[in-house]
């Protein structure tokens, strides 16, 4: 049967995969890079711009602080990268900050880290896609008015790609990721060559003034630098994703994950340094509004990276290549969250902190429900903030550094336990070195977290400080619910008493074939009575009796046909579900249209599973729902 005949789902997602094929989805390092590292690699495209944007609030005189801010961010990025390499080796089953914090700091710390990560993943999708669309509109300003619809469209595209499977998405995203790396390093090489050749390169905005919003002196300068540092720390987003997804790597999983993290750290650091150096030497000026640069309010603005590319390459093929590659990797950076969010949600669902549906794999062996849930949250955020990257990015970072700090503190405790377990002296030296690395990372990230909270809280970050505790409380409530249900469903020594009699009831409106089939099936169960009366009277007269209501239902082949059939049955089942002592038995009646016949005349259902075809009457399968 062709893919087209199997319906739109097979067309977009491909054929289902067997669970035994799970090993075929594991990623080599060359594909793990675009799957797990597109977020930190792409963050350098706007991290420098965020630093300059904040410093420009004080005017041109304070842009020199960008050198110092960038230097501290580079050091922090190196420390966090090395720290998470330890996590990959110590926790090869994945889970990242959640697994580390829960195992070493307790359940509450683990849930706090998970809440931070889940919120951060939603923001990653929103920020990455909106920033990618901003890069696109920098090259084509006429698309600016369609920013929201473009952003939503790209989220939907990413959702479909990820629903097809991790390996397929990695293959599809590899070209844009490596294309971006190639373009950035070629831009560095051309800029170095032109500078060494004696050319004096200046950005298009180099001669424009920056009108300061306020006058900053003393403590105000310190706070401004701290705020610029907090915004520039977007360069660290996504570093933890590899530690969450270690099980997705090919063997040796932990080593390959740690190696991929090291390669990602090298690329991120060198690109961030290069873009910052070029932005400052080319005198790139950015501001929140064109009027702050002395331009008319309706003047289209360019990103810092777009200005650098225009200065180095001029308006030509290479400039458009950089913009296209930047837009592509920024949009694909959301893929990091599309892999991290479902994996983390499945772990939380397994531990009963989230609905159990999130732990199930779909037809393509990915956590489909988690992917769809992430997409819906991200779309809602994009629409709410009208695809404005400057507004959404203010919510960013807090969740990142909450999870960073808890993860590193957990690793310090982990190594302390390793020391207490009586390892030989050679191992103890290695363990102490690892503990020192994680302690340094915990100290750095905790300081940054405080800075981020202070500088971003009044600019929108307060929303995140509310969202994370709400999510934390919600997950605890879900866990309590599952515990109550488990306790209630546990069999007691008394067991379950049998009903004294069983009354079978078949609702009959007209005497049709489905009704006759339902009556025949009801008789086959040998009930005490078989009637077409209403339920309520029997329940009043014989409260200890069990009542089974047999309801005929049509089985159709198209989704829109459900709108035309079975509505009465659905309403009746919904009402009876909450009636104590009443059971509902659905008796499907397969309409001829619910079968697709192949060229050999054999019958098969629309999902490809075998069914038995009777000449006169299709056999019915029954499902019973018991109402408490």
């Amino acid at each position: 049967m062709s893919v087209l005949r199997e319906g739109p789902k097979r067309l977009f997602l491909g054929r289902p995969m067997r669970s035994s094929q799970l090993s075929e989805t594991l990623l080599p390092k060359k594909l793990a890079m675009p799957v797990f590292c597109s977020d930190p690699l792409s963050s350098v495209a706007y991290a420098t711009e965020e630093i300059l944007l904040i410093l420009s609030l004080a005017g041109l005189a304070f842009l020199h602080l960008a050198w110092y801010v960038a230097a501290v961010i580079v050091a922090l990025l190196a420390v966090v990268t090395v720290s998470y390499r330890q996590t990959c080796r110590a926790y090869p089953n994945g889970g990242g900050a959640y697994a580390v914090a829960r195992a070493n700091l307790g359940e509450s710390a683990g849930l706090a880290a998970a809440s931070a990560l889940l919120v951060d993943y939603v923001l990653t999708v929103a920020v990455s896609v909106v920033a990618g669309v901003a890069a696109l509109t920098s090259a084509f300003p006429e698309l600016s008015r369609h920013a929201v619809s473009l952003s939503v469209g790209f989220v939907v595209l990413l959702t479909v790609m990820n629903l097809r499977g991790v390996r397929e998405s990695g293959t599809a995203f590899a070209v844009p990721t490596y294309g971006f790396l190639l373009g950035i390093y070629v831009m560095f090489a051309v800029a170095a060559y032109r500078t060494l050749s004696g050319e004096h390169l200046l950005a298009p905005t180099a001669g424009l003034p920056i009108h300061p919003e306020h006058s900053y002196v003393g403590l105000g300068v310190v706070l401004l630098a701290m705020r610029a540092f907090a915004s520039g720390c977007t360069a660290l987003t996504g570093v933890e994703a590899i530690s969450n997804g270690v099980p997705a790597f090919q063997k040796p999983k932990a080593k390959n994950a740690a190696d991929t993290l090291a390669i990602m750290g090298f690329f991120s650091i060198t690109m961030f340094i290069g873009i910052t150096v070029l932005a400052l030497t080319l005198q790139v000026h950015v501001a929140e509004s064109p009027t702050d640069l002395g331009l008319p309010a309706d003047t289209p603005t360019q990103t810092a990276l777009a200005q650098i590319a225009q200065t180095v390459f001029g308006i030509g093929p290479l400039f458009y290549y950089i913009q296209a590659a930047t837009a592509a990797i920024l949009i694909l950076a959301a893929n990091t969250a599309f892999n991290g969010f479902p994996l983390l949600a499945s772990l939380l669902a397994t531990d009963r902190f989230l609905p159990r549906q999130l732990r199930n794999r779909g037809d393509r062996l990915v956590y489909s429900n988690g992917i769809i849930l992430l997409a819906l949250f991200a779309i809602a955020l994009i629409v709410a903030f009208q695809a404005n990257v400057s507004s959404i990015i203010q919510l960013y970072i807090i969740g990142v550094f909450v999870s960073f700090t808890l993860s590193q503190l957990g690793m310090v405790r982990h190594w302390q336990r390793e020391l207490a377990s009586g390892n030989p002296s050679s191992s103890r030296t290695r363990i102490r070195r690892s503990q020192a690395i994680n302690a340094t990372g915990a100290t750095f990230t905790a300081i940054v977290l405080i800075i981020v909270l202070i500088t971003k809280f009044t600019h929108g970050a307060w929303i995140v400080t509310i969202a994370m505790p709400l999510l934390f409380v919600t997950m605890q409530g879900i866990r309590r619910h599952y515990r109550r249900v488990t306790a209630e469903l546990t069999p007691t020594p008394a067991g379950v008493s049998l009903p004294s009699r069983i009354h079978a009831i078949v609702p009959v409106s007209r005497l049709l074939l489905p009704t006759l089939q339902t009556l025949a099936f009801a008789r086959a169960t040998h009930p005490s009575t078989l009637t077409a009366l209403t339920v309520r009277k029997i329940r009043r007269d014989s409260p200890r009796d069990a009542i089974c209501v047999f309801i005929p239902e049509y089985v159709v082949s198209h989704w829109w046909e459900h709108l035309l059939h079975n509505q009465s049955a659905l309403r009746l089942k919904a009402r009876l579900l909450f009636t104590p002592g009443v059971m509902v038995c659905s008796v499907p009646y397969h309409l001829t249209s619910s079968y697709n016949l192949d060229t050999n005349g054999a019958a098969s259902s629309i999902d490809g599973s075998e069914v038995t075809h009777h000449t006169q009457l299709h056999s019915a399968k029954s499902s019973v729902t018991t109402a408490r």
Side-chain angles (χ1 to χ4, degrees):
M1 186 180 295
S2 67
V3 173
L4 286 174
R5 291 184 65 185
E6 290 184 310
K9 181 179 179 181
R10 298 292 167 255
L11 177 63
F12 287 103
L13 305 185
R15 293 183 179 275
M17 298 178 68
R18 298 185 301 273
S19 298
S20 58
Q21 295 177 279
L22 187 60
S23 59
E24 299 176 14
T25 67
L26 298 180
L27 299 171
K29 287 183 284 189
K30 64 182 179 181
L31 291 183
M33 275 281 288
V35 169
F36 290 106
C37 302
S38 52
D39 182 17
L41 291 176
S42 67
S43 297
V44 300
Y46 55 83
T48 299
E49 179 176 352
E50 289 302 314
I51 296 173
L52 297 177
L53 194 61
I54 299 301
L55 293 177
S56 67
L57 296 176
L60 292 173
F62 290 89
L63 291 183
H64 70 281
L65 294 176
W67 294 107
Y68 305 102
V69 171
V72 178
I73 292 174
V74 167
L76 180 63
L77 182 54
V79 169
V80 171
T81 300
V82 174
S83 297
Y84 268 100
R85 278 170 54 84
Q86 312 280 6
T87 304
C88 292
R89 295 191 179 101
Y91 289 86
N93 293 325
Y98 167 65
V100 174
R102 189 181 184 200
N104 298 286
L105 303 177
E107 183 178 286
S108 295
L111 280 186
S115 302
L117 280 173
L118 292 175
V119 171
D120 177 62
Y121 283 137
V122 174
L123 288 168
T124 295
V125 175
V127 170
S128 299
V129 170
V130 171
V133 171
L136 191 63
T137 56
S138 292
F140 305 99
E142 61 274 11
L143 296 177
S144 298
R145 64 180 182 273
H146 303 297
V148 174
S149 56
L150 285 171
S151 299
V152 171
F154 282 124
V155 172
V156 173
L157 176 63
L158 287 168
T159 303
V160 173
M161 291 301 300
N162 279 278
L163 288 174
R164 291 187 64 87
V166 174
R167 194 178 185 94
E168 283 203 32
S169 65
T171 303
F173 298 158
V175 172
T177 301
Y178 290 116
F180 174 75
L181 293 176
L182 176 64
I184 293 298
Y185 285 107
V186 167
M187 185 176 71
F188 291 164
V190 172
Y193 174 80
R194 293 185 63 183
T195 302
L196 293 175
S197 299
E199 294 187 56
H200 185 56
L201 302 177
L202 289 176
T205 57
L208 297 178
I210 296 180
H211 302 296
E213 289 189 358
H214 305 285
S215 177
Y216 291 85
V217 293
L219 182 61
V221 175
V222 175
L223 292 174
L224 182 71
M226 289 170 61
R227 186 180 168 191
F229 170 73
S231 294
C233 282
T234 53
L236 280 81
T237 57
V239 172
E240 81 291 337
I242 289 180
S243 67
N244 289 334
V246 176
F249 283 78
Q250 290 182 344
K251 295 181 179 180
K253 296 177 182 291
K255 181 181 183 301
N256 286 338
D259 291 346
T260 304
L261 190 56
I263 296 170
M264 178 276 297
F266 170 79
F267 284 136
S268 295
I269 290 172
T270 54
M271 286 195 297
F272 177 68
I273 291 173
I275 291 173
T276 303
V277 169
L278 285 177
L280 293 174
T281 55
L282 301 182
Q283 300 180 33
V284 171
H285 294 167
V286 293
E288 290 188 348
S289 170
T291 56
D292 294 332
L293 296 173
L295 299 172
D298 58 349
T299 303
T301 58
Q302 285 187 321
T303 63
L305 186 58
Q307 293 187 47
I308 294 172
Q310 180 179 338
T311 305
V312 173
F313 296 127
I315 299 295
L318 288 177
F319 166 75
Y320 288 107
Y321 171 84
I322 290 291
Q323 291 309 105
T326 302
I329 195 172
L330 282 170
I331 292 169
L332 297 184
N335 194 59
T336 299
F338 272 106
N339 284 278
F341 184 99
L343 282 170
L344 178 58
S346 72
L347 289 174
L348 290 165
T350 301
D351 293 337
R352 296 190 171 188
F353 289 112
L354 286 179
R356 294 179 182 179
Q357 295 91 326
L358 293 173
R359 70 180 179 180
N360 300 328
R361 293 181 183 269
D363 289 348
R364 300 292 295 178
L365 303 183
V366 294
Y367 298 106
S368 306
N369 292 331
I371 291 172
I372 294 171
L373 186 63
L374 172 63
L376 292 176
F377 281 134
I379 288 173
L381 196 64
I382 290 171
V383 173
F385 285 87
Q386 289 296 293
N388 188 315
V389 68
S390 297
S391 299
I392 301 176
I393 210 167
Q394 299 300 327
L395 314 181
Y396 217 9
I397 299 300
I398 289 182
V400 176
F401 282 94
V402 168
S403 62
F404 280 175
T405 303
L406 290 173
S407 176
Q408 300 313 306
L409 287 173
M411 287 302 297
V412 172
R413 181 73 179 276
H414 167 80
W415 297 124
Q416 189 62 40
R417 289 177 174 174
E418 289 291 311
L419 288 172
S421 63
N423 288 282
S425 57
S426 58
S427 298
R428 292 175 70 85
T429 301
R430 176 183 57 81
I431 291 172
R432 289 191 183 279
R433 182 173 63 250
S434 298
Q435 188 179 40
I437 292 172
N438 288 123
T440 304
T443 303
F444 272 47
T445 55
I447 294 172
V448 175
L449 176 59
I450 295 172
I451 293 173
V452 169
L453 281 171
I454 293 173
T455 58
K456 284 182 171 285
F457 186 85
T458 58
H459 296 278
W462 61 270
I463 299 175
V464 178
T465 61
I466 294 175
M468 289 192 298
L470 282 177
L471 185 55
F472 178 93
V473 172
T474 300
M475 289 193 291
Q476 284 188 322
I478 292 173
R479 178 67 178 273
R480 286 194 299 270
H481 168 77
Y482 278 134
R483 283 176 173 170
R484 286 196 302 268
V485 171
T486 300
E488 187 174 348
L489 297 182
T490 302
T492 61
V496 178
S497 59
L498 294 176
S500 57
R501 291 178 298 175
I502 298 178
H503 301 283
I505 294 181
V506 178
V508 177
S509 57
R510 287 191 297 165
L511 202 60
L512 301 174
L513 276 177
T515 306
L516 293 176
Q517 176 181 277
T518 303
L519 286 167
F521 181 78
R523 289 184 62 191
T525 64
H526 301 292
S528 302
T529 63
L530 174 58
T531 66
L533 300 177
T534 60
V535 178
R536 302 296 174 259
K537 182 176 184 299
I538 295 179
R539 283 300 299 162
R540 288 197 301 267
D541 296 342
S542 306
R544 292 188 66 250
D545 292 355
I547 298 174
C548 183
V549 181
F550 294 83
I551 300 178
E553 294 189 57
Y554 296 114
V555 176
V556 296
S557 59
H558 302 98
W559 65 267
W560 51 267
E561 290 181 291
H562 288 283
L563 303 176
L564 308 177
H565 301 285
N566 296 327
Q567 303 309 308
S568 298
L570 286 174
R571 289 195 299 269
L572 184 57
K573 285 195 294 185
R575 183 65 183 89
L576 295 178
L577 183 64
F578 299 97
T579 304
V582 177
M583 295 174 290
V584 179
C585 181
S586 297
V587 183
Y589 183 85
H590 294 261
L591 298 176
T592 305
S593 62
S594 67
Y595 292 87
N596 288 330
L597 299 179
D598 58 24
T599 55
N600 296 323
S604 59
S605 64
I606 56 174
D607 62 356
S609 61
E610 296 292 333
V611 299
T612 303
H613 180 75
H614 293 280
T615 305
Q616 300 297 329
L617 187 65
H618 299 300
S619 62
K621 299 178 182 178
S622 64
S623 60
V624 179
T625 302
T626 302
R628 288 186 46 77

